[in-house]
Amino acid sequence: MEKISDVTCLFCGVTCDDLEVFVEGDTIKEVKNACILGKATFMNHKADVAIPRIKGKETSIEACIEASAEILSQSHFPLIYGLASTECNAQRKAIELADLIGASIDTTSSVCHSPSLQAIQTVGDSTCTLGEIKNRADLLVFWGCNPAEAHPRHFTRYSVTPKGYFVPRGKKDRQVILVDVRKTPSAKAADQFIQIRPGSDYEVLTAMRALLKGEELEVEEVGGVPISTLKSLLEKLKTCKFGSIHWGMGLTMSRGKHMNVMALLLLARDLNRFTKVVASPMRGHGNVVGIATVLTWQTGYPFAVNLSRGFPQYNPGEFSSVDLLARREADAALIIAADAFANFPRAAAEHLSRIPTIAIDAKESMTTKIATVVIPTAQAGISAPGLAYRMDHIPIPVKKVVDSPYPSDQEVLKRIIEKVRSKLQNRV
Amino acid sequence: MLKIINGEVYDPLNGINGGIKEICIRDGKIVDEVPNTAKIIDASNLVVMPGGIDIHSHISGLKVNAGRGLRPEDHRRMVIPKTRITRSGTGYTIPSTFATGYLYTKLGYTTVMEAAVPPIGARHTHEELNDTPMIDKGCYIVLGNNEFILRYLQKGEYEKARDYTAWLLNATKGYAIKIVNPGGVENWKYGQDVSGLDDKVNHFDVTPRQILTALAQINQDLHLPHGVHIHCNNLGVPGNYRTTLETLHALEGKRVHLTHVQFHSYGGENWSGFASKAPEIAEYLNQHPHATIDVGQIIFGDTTTMTADGPWQYRLHKISEKKWYNSDVELESGCGIVPYVYKEKNFVNAIQWAIGLELFLLIKNPWQVFMSTDHPNGGPFIFYPYIIRLLMDKNFRDEMTKRVHKRVLKDTVLPHITREYSLYEIAIITRAGPAKALGLTHKGHLGVGADADIVLYPKLENKEEMFERPVYVLKEGEVILQEGQILKDWTGKTIFVELPENKAFQNEIRDDFEKYYTVEFSNYPTGLETFARYESVKVSI
Ligand code: SF4
Ligand SMILES: [Zn+2]
């Protein structure tokens, strides 16, 4: 058995890079340091591997690439979507392809943290890298997120328990507060749990901002939380040395969406008049931060980018994939390393099965089941190396630990680009 | 093989001032002669210069990309459509990567230095630079608030600080040492700043003065090609020229480059007393050839300010009430971003504008003062031709001076300066000087052995138009732009220093590294496999 050290896990935005993976031939035998989600990703790498096929008929990868190039070069308003569970070099190629064919390109953020991105675009953010939290935070607030289940090693690597330079006793030097609409398993790590009424985040956060400005509110409670509780939470935030607020999909996907996040960002910003307070989104299924990052450096925008006029345009609602599909505008779709069909609302998902859809994925999924063309690939982070971004935008190299019989996402996209390019050139 | 004939050549490093001279090119380099079969470019009526070199610009990395992310409204102001050769992109103040490469090329710039990279973000910077075509590029590594350095200095362990710096430059593939608000950014991590060279840095019991002198000494002992590159304390604060002069005094005899000095040449005790102290700064530089500066000229209009100077960006946010992005970087640095509009009729902005020009015009030796807008802090780099016109054309400058807030006429010496830059001097401040200050011996000139990065400008009366419209741009002897059209999507090189490896020292830092960082030691360095093309400059200690 061979041991490979400092392996990066691409499953969530914690992006642990300290895994030890033990391999024999092309099989992973054991994984150390990972959480159960990470471990399962590695251990199950041979399960549900996709099969190359066109209209359900098994065929060669080469034929699938040719068919994909044909579909994409014929399409008038193609959509490229997904890109969360892959690495940045593949993401680069996907954008190059979008530029070439004038596609809309969108990511899984579109259905999870895009409201966070829009809120940051509107008011900014006071944030930091995760090591700052580890080394300094003496007050942690988790709002509408459940790291214990969604980002399992966040608490132990970055936030709650690690001993940091200025907080040498680890958890003993920190206070942890959880705010959510229900008591999740994350509450176990918290010193205090504040339950708020579903859909009232905006109200509660705005009330806190008002209190911070010295306004008196003539009510006893907001969102089910007594004013006295809010005041004591504020007092803690004002008097800590380094407060770190983390938010999740509890804010982004409930009523108010980006307005909720804006209220939180403005509260954190205002608190900087008293002490150091940062606020950070708990992002990342897979390497979704990577695609937002690369898309931003190549086009200026993090998601919902349209290239049909020959230059990047950005407009969530107009160019976000769910909307493009639900309005039946896209006439072909390329889904890369994401299960669009499973995660989209029905009207959007249905349109995917109506138009020619290409799925590039290491694994079978709901999307591969309905796709016209399925191209299996080597799974990034297991059988394909590259680059990923952690939820705090820190770049982390990604290793390959075992071989796959299939080419990488990057390689497949490169070959599609070559074919599309020659088809387009032959046409003019 | 190629020969450029009949051109009016400006090559200050070789003392050529507008003479007609043939330039021969083979294998990407300038050579003595080429056979008669070589292709010929007739440069009659054209001005020939080495490709431009930007010594200080923010084009790539965590901060720049956060700036792009923060400002979708900015990108709509300039779109760059794809062509058969080039990729699409967006401007305006923080262009996308491809656009950055094309826009610099369209000005005749062929080498650009990214001026502030936190080490943990170096990999990101290099990945973005791989997607920044056309130009050669390099980056400066921020060290002035690095907690390893602070700890070594606190314990008086100078040698360890030096070895750490060498290790870090190798690990990050950096080109130079950058200092940003020494000590202030560390203090900002708990919401504070420093106010001068002798304040204490929280928890580390060292002063900005100690940090500055130690890093300047390290720079010297490591024989780095560029001087230590400094963004002084107190950026933007009225009265800060004293800090700037103190910094220069403290580093006398060392090779130093002070950056965006316009932002550090302010008099007055508060905003209403805001005044130019450019003459004082210029006077010092005129007496002290050990220092070089770039200006950080402001351009009226909308821009995006971004620095590693977190406390300053917060102050600017409070002044401007614009949106504010901040991201502190573990153990290393900070980052702040605030959109800003410089207004002609705002007296502070108008005086800032005048200060930049005064620095250009009052510093006598052009080898000491270089073109920059501290892109995009003072304004986007695409305005360099406008600045050149202000420097070369006294009438144009006077017109502008009359347009801006009247205190410029009353309170600054700018209206009384008659100096006009010559083409030779422009060639110094935009290419030869930066190349020399950077120690890039094969760039910034047209002598034998130099990289054949060459630009041919039309000879026009309006110098802004002239420098906006190169007729040819050559990169390593290849024509990459002609008549405004990009002909090749060229892949430039990333340039970094390579210091002798010191294996023993790695073990010295590994423990602390693993305790306080959040990435594994082995995953931290940027390997050579990252680069599309590179050139390492070997430095022997
Ligand atoms: S926390 Fe996330 S990145 Fe870390 S091992 Fe678990 S799934 Fe992987
Ligand atoms: Zn700068």
Side-chain angles (χ1 to χ4, degrees):
Chain A
M1 242 180 355
E2 187 198 346
K3 172 178 147 183
I4 307 169
S5 302
D6 298 344
V7 172
T8 300
C9 174
L10 268 190
F11 188 80
C12 85
V14 176
T15 323
C16 304
D17 67 335
D18 62 342
L19 273 52
E20 288 182 351
V21 181
F22 296 83
V23 302
E24 220 173 74
D26 65 352
T27 307
I28 295 172
K29 292 287 186 188
E30 177 62 278
V31 179
K32 289 198 179 139
N33 296 345
C35 72
I36 45 169
L37 300 177
K39 184 165 178 170
T41 313
F42 280 88
M43 297 306 287
N44 298 338
H45 73 109
K46 285 191 168 172
D48 301 321
V49 169
I51 292 164
R53 57 189 187 272
I54 301 172
K55 292 187 182 152
K57 263 226 313 280
E58 193 169 337
T59 178
S60 68
I61 298 261
E62 199 47 44
C64 292
I65 287 174
E66 169 61 31
S68 304
E70 190 55 30
I71 291 170
L72 294 172
S73 58
Q74 294 291 344
S75 157
H76 296 289
F77 206 59
L79 167 68
I80 298 179
Y81 171 83
L83 297 155
S85 299
T86 190
E87 56 78 40
C88 297
N89 294 314
Q91 294 167 344
R92 270 191 171 109
K93 284 286 158 197
I95 307 166
E96 184 181 340
L97 177 59
D99 205 7
L100 180 67
I101 60 176
S104 296
I105 180 162
D106 194 21
T107 82
T108 54
S109 285
S110 202
V111 289
C112 73
H113 262 289
S114 59
S116 301
L117 299 170
Q118 287 169 278
I120 293 169
Q121 286 171 339
T122 312
V123 299
D125 186 10
S126 158
T127 185
C128 64
T129 73
L130 289 162
E132 280 296 291
I133 296 166
K134 167 176 158 173
N135 285 318
R136 293 177 200 262
D138 57 347
L139 177 63
L140 296 157
V141 178
F142 292 92
W143 196 303
C145 57
N146 178 12
E149 289 183 315
H151 296 99
R153 293 183 70 206
H154 193 280
F155 286 164
T156 52
R157 273 174 73 79
Y158 310 131
S159 53
V160 176
T161 53
K163 297 188 165 78
Y165 193 74
F166 301 100
V167 279
R169 300 182 309 153
K171 179 151 194 212
K172 289 202 195 89
D173 286 332
R174 314 185 201 259
Q175 262 205 76
V176 183
I177 297 167
L178 183 73
V179 185
D180 212 335
V181 295
R182 64 187 175 93
K183 199 162 187 171
T184 64
S186 293
K188 271 208 232 81
D191 302 299
Q192 187 189 0
F193 171 61
I194 300 174
Q195 186 157 17
I196 64 171
R197 231 182 355 251
S200 66
D201 300 271
Y202 181 79
E203 256 176 284
V204 174
L205 288 160
T206 309
M208 284 178 72
R209 276 189 80 201
L211 292 170
L212 186 67
K213 293 206 161 114
E215 315 270 346
E216 280 303 326
L217 303 178
E218 280 149 22
V219 287
E220 246 129 65
E221 53 97 21
V222 179
V225 190
I227 294 291
S228 59
T229 307
L230 294 183
K231 281 190 170 164
S232 96
L233 174 56
L234 269 180
E235 204 45 40
K236 284 177 186 157
L237 281 162
K238 278 164 70 175
T239 54
C240 69
K241 282 204 193 123
F242 188 109
S244 182
I245 310 175
H246 308 251
W247 79 89
M249 280 166 58
L251 286 193
T252 64
M253 286 292 128
S254 64
R255 192 170 71 103
K257 293 194 165 185
H258 68 282
M259 294 299 287
N260 300 335
V261 181
M262 260 167 64
L264 183 140
L265 291 172
L266 290 172
L267 175 64
R269 186 186 84 182
D270 293 351
L271 282 162
N272 276 277
R273 293 190 181 258
F274 301 90
T275 186
K276 185 80 177 188
V277 175
V278 294
S280 317
M282 297 291 285
R283 293 193 64 195
H285 179 67
N287 183 27
V288 66
V289 176
I291 179 59
T293 302
V294 181
L295 201 48
T296 300
W297 87 48
Q298 292 204 354
T299 71
Y301 308 115
F303 71 103
V305 181
N306 172 275
L307 293 149
S308 62
R309 291 177 65 193
F311 54 82
Q313 290 177 280
Y314 165 70
N315 200 7
E318 186 178 8
F319 301 127
S320 31
S321 33
V322 168
D323 305 274
L324 281 174
L325 291 168
R327 288 195 307 265
R328 302 188 180 199
E329 288 172 5
D331 64 351
L334 170 61
I335 313 292
I336 305 162
D339 196 354
F341 194 83
N343 294 317
F344 281 176
R346 194 145 151 220
E350 270 173 13
H351 190 63
L352 275 183
S353 50
R354 213 174 287 133
I355 58 177
T357 294
I358 304 153
I360 298 179
D361 211 312
K363 301 278 187 176
E364 292 292 352
S365 68
M366 301 274 280
T367 307
T368 61
K369 292 213 171 65
I370 59 101
T372 321
V373 182
V374 177
I375 311 180
T377 47
Q379 191 170 347
I382 292 181
S383 298
L387 175 72
Y389 279 84
R390 216 163 63 181
M391 59 169 75
D392 57 347
H393 294 98
I394 292 302
I396 310 279
V398 172
K399 288 195 171 82
K400 162 182 162 172
V401 292
V402 287
D403 285 329
S404 154
Y406 296 125
S408 64
D409 296 324
Q410 181 191 7
E411 175 65 23
V412 166
L413 287 163
K414 201 172 125 207
R415 279 154 69 181
I416 292 177
I417 289 169
E418 278 161 18
K419 287 209 186 267
V420 169
R421 187 166 278 135
S422 73
K423 281 174 197 287
L424 294 178
Q425 260 157 17
N426 290 343
R427 216 166 290 159
V428 281
Chain B
M1 280 174 301
L2 191 66
K3 184 147 77 168
I4 302 170
I5 58 167
N6 299 330
E8 191 178 304
V9 177
Y10 293 87
D11 179 10
L13 277 164
N14 293 303
I16 296 165
N17 183 5
I20 305 291
K21 189 174 179 272
E22 284 183 358
I23 312 276
C24 299
I25 300 160
R26 191 170 52 215
D27 300 330
K29 299 272 181 195
I30 293 173
V31 293
D32 259 332
E33 51 182 3
V34 286
N36 287 338
T37 52
K39 235 183 80 187
I40 291 201
I41 292 180
D42 185 351
S44 304
N45 290 318
L46 300 181
V47 161
V48 182
M49 288 188 187
I53 298 176
D54 199 334
I55 198 168
H56 188 108
S57 182
H58 301 276
I59 56 167
S60 161
L62 297 172
K63 164 172 85 299
V64 175
N65 214 37
R68 294 187 189 105
L70 185 66
R71 300 214 62 196
E73 73 280 9
D74 176 74
H75 313 328
R76 296 207 167 93
R77 297 169 56 190
M78 183 196 266
V79 293
I80 290 143
K82 69 175 172 185
T83 69
R84 285 177 137 240
I85 293 155
T86 58
R87 293 282 302 271
S88 72
T90 52
Y92 161 75
T93 63
I94 328 137
S96 56
T97 52
F98 304 112
T100 299
Y102 307 142
L103 289 169
Y104 263 115
T105 303
K106 289 187 174 184
L107 300 182
Y109 270 69
T110 50
T111 302
V112 180
M113 290 291 172
E114 159 54 52
V117 173
I120 200 172
R123 181 185 302 280
H124 175 117
T125 300
H126 291 307
E127 291 285 352
E128 265 195 45
L129 289 177
N130 279 340
D131 278 352
T132 307
M134 318 302 279
I135 51 176
D136 289 347
K137 50 249 168 172
C139 63
Y140 308 154
I141 303 298
V142 290
L143 269 154
N145 296 277
N146 184 298
E147 289 170 16
F148 279 93
I149 297 280
L150 297 180
R151 216 156 27 233
Y152 291 137
L153 296 184
Q154 178 182 19
K155 292 197 224 149
E157 298 176 325
Y158 170 81
E159 283 79 15
K160 285 188 182 167
R162 181 197 60 206
D163 292 352
Y164 170 79
T165 303
W167 173 80
L168 192 72
L169 286 170
N170 278 344
T172 55
K173 303 293 181 281
Y175 187 78
I177 297 174
K178 172 76 180 294
I179 303 176
V180 176
N181 185 4
V185 180
E186 173 62 30
N187 280 1
W188 172 242
K189 292 181 166 182
Y190 283 123
Q192 291 145 14
D193 196 355
V194 293
S195 63
L197 292 197
D198 298 307
D199 276 13
K200 282 272 187 243
V201 182
N202 285 339
H203 302 281
F204 290 95
D205 197 35
V206 294
T207 62
R209 186 185 300 279
Q210 283 171 292
I211 300 169
L212 286 162
T213 47
L215 284 170
Q217 188 62 45
I218 287 170
N219 197 86
Q220 197 145 313
D221 291 351
L222 293 179
H223 301 288
L224 295 176
H226 182 34
V228 62
H229 195 105
I230 302 168
H231 156 153
C232 293
N233 300 106
N234 286 330
L235 181 144
V237 179
N240 65 6
Y241 81 103
R242 280 186 226 102
T243 310
T244 309
L245 287 177
E246 264 183 70
T247 304
L248 284 163
H249 274 300
L251 300 176
E252 230 149 81
K254 301 279 190 320
R255 250 186 107 198
V256 292
H257 178 86
L258 296 201
T259 187
H260 41 67
V261 171
Q262 177 276 126
F263 289 111
H264 301 273
S265 303
Y266 302 156
E269 298 310 314
N270 49 41
W271 290 110
S272 59
F274 189 79
S276 168
K277 289 289 175 183
E280 281 78 355
I281 301 284
E283 185 48 35
Y284 180 93
L285 288 160
N286 289 339
Q287 305 300 329
H288 295 82
H290 72 285
T292 55
I293 70 157
D294 65 86
V295 168
Q297 176 64 36
I298 71 149
I299 302 295
F300 295 114
D302 187 350
T303 199
T304 309
T305 68
M306 51 173 69
T307 70
D309 195 340
W312 160 251
Q313 296 293 149
Y314 183 57
R315 228 170 282 144
L316 188 64
H317 152 67
K318 289 206 285 188
I319 295 168
S320 68
E321 297 185 327
K322 297 267 203 265
K323 57 188 173 184
W324 169 56
Y325 182 89
N326 178 81
S327 182
D328 295 342
V329 181
E330 60 200 73
L331 284 81
E332 297 177 352
S333 183
C335 150
I337 307 169
V338 179
Y340 191 80
V341 184
Y342 294 103
K343 298 187 179 124
E344 289 181 7
K345 300 292 183 202
N346 172 304
F347 100 85
V348 171
N349 296 160
I351 290 189
Q352 288 178 305
W353 176 84
I355 291 172
L357 295 174
E358 287 174 343
L359 288 169
F360 277 119
L361 295 162
L362 294 175
I363 295 169
K364 292 186 186 131
N365 179 0
W367 295 94
Q368 278 180 278
V369 54
F370 309 136
M371 174 69 74
S372 83
T373 54
D374 187 18
H375 165 82
N377 285 296
F381 64 81
I382 49 176
F383 286 97
Y384 288 173
Y386 158 79
I387 299 171
I388 290 174
R389 185 171 180 206
L390 286 171
L391 298 178
M392 294 190 73
D393 184 340
K394 165 79 173 152
N395 288 337
F396 179 62
R397 193 161 72 224
D398 285 346
E399 264 169 48
M400 275 302 300
T401 310
K402 281 179 205 136
R403 238 171 72 177
V404 304
H405 193 282
K406 57 183 184 310
R407 278 181 65 171
V408 168
L409 271 182
K410 240 175 48 211
D411 294 354
T412 75
V413 299
L414 182 64
H416 312 294
I417 304 175
T418 53
R419 180 174 169 194
E420 286 181 336
Y421 267 63
S422 65
L423 280 173
Y424 189 72
E425 287 173 316
I426 291 295
I428 295 172
I429 67 167
T430 55
R431 41 268 283 163
K436 188 170 171 221
L438 286 165
L440 286 172
T441 50
H442 55 308
K443 292 197 180 290
H445 69 99
L446 300 173
V448 169
D451 286 353
D453 296 351
I454 304 170
V455 50
L456 280 58
Y457 293 107
K459 256 165 68 182
L460 299 176
E461 202 41 53
N462 181 330
K463 295 299 182 270
E464 184 174 355
E465 283 176 15
M466 169 172 171
F467 283 93
E468 244 168 24
R469 292 182 198 165
V471 181
Y472 288 93
V473 178
L474 282 74
K475 194 84 189 83
E476 296 177 50
E478 296 278 332
V479 177
I480 57 170
L481 174 140
Q482 193 176 345
E483 307 280 357
Q485 292 301 311
I486 285 167
L487 301 187
K488 275 211 173 76
D489 207 347
W490 182 262
T491 303
K493 290 179 285 195
T494 301
I495 306 170
F496 48 82
V497 292
E498 189 182 334
L499 293 130
E501 231 194 299
N502 181 348
K503 281 250 163 61
F505 188 73
Q506 295 200 13
N507 299 327
E508 171 74 36
I509 49 175
R510 187 187 292 265
D511 262 7
D512 274 351
F513 191 102
E514 281 171 357
K515 260 193 256 162
Y516 303 121
Y517 268 104
T518 52
V519 297
E520 292 301 307
F521 192 58
S522 75
N523 284 329
Y524 184 79
T526 305
L528 293 176
E529 69 286 350
T530 301
F531 298 92
R533 279 184 79 201
Y534 69 86
E535 178 184 318
S536 66
V537 176
K538 286 206 172 54
V539 181
S540 44
I541 299 173

